[in-house]
Amino acid sequence: MDLTNLSYEEGLKELESIIDSLETGELTLEESFNKFKKGVDLYKYLYEILNKVEGEIKIIMEDEEREEDFQLEG
C-alpha cells in the first residue's frame, strides 16, 4: 500500500474500514492478520501526519508570540 499519496482523511477512512472488517469476525486468520498489519501501517502514517502538523502549529504559535512580544517592546 502506497501511503505517500494518501491524505489524512482518506487514511482515517481506510483505517476505520479495516477496524470495522476486523470487528465482524468474518475474516480468516490470515485475512485478519494482513488487515491488522495494514491498519498498524496506516496508524503510524496518520500519527506522523499529526505530529508534523502539531510541530508546525507550535512554530506558528511561537512566531506569533515573539511578534507580539516585539510589538509590545517596540
Side-chain angles (χ1 to χ4, degrees), residues 9 11 22-24 31 33 40 73:
E9 292 77 12
L22 289 171
E23 288 178 340
T24 65
E31 290 170 331
F33 181 69
V40 169
E73 292 173 5

Side-chain angles (χ1 to χ4, degrees), residues 3-12 45-46 49:
L3 299 176
T4 56
N5 295 322
L6 195 65
S7 73
Y8 180 81
E9 292 77 12
E10 292 168 333
L12 191 57
Y45 174 72
L46 296 173
I49 290 174

Side-chain angles (χ1 to χ4, degrees), residues 2-3 5-6 9 11 13-14 16 21 25 27 30 33 35 48 50 53 55 59 61 67:
D2 182 26
L3 299 176
N5 295 322
L6 195 65
E9 292 77 12
K13 190 173 185 177
E14 179 67 24
E16 289 171 348
S21 67
L27 301 174
E30 185 176 348
F33 181 69
K35 290 263 186 189
E48 287 176 15
L50 285 177
V53 170
I59 290 169
M61 296 304 294
E67 187 174 308

Side-chain angles (χ1 to χ4, degrees), residues 10-69:
E10 292 168 333
L12 191 57
K13 190 173 185 177
E14 179 67 24
L15 184 57
E16 289 171 348
S17 173
I18 289 170
I19 291 168
D20 289 343
S21 67
L22 289 171
E23 288 178 340
T24 65
E26 297 175 4
L27 301 174
T28 65
L29 178 61
E30 185 176 348
E31 290 170 331
S32 295
F33 181 69
N34 288 331
K35 290 263 186 189
F36 178 78
K37 287 193 309 186
K38 184 177 178 183
V40 169
D41 289 342
L42 269 169
Y43 172 80
K44 289 177 182 177
Y45 174 72
L46 296 173
Y47 187 77
E48 287 176 15
I49 290 174
L50 285 177
N51 276 338
K52 180 181 176 193
V53 170
E54 181 181 26
E56 291 175 5
I57 289 171
K58 284 181 182 178
I59 290 169
I60 291 170
M61 296 304 294
E62 289 170 0
D63 287 347
E64 287 295 318
E65 288 175 9
R66 274 190 238 121
E67 187 174 308
E68 287 175 10
D69 290 343

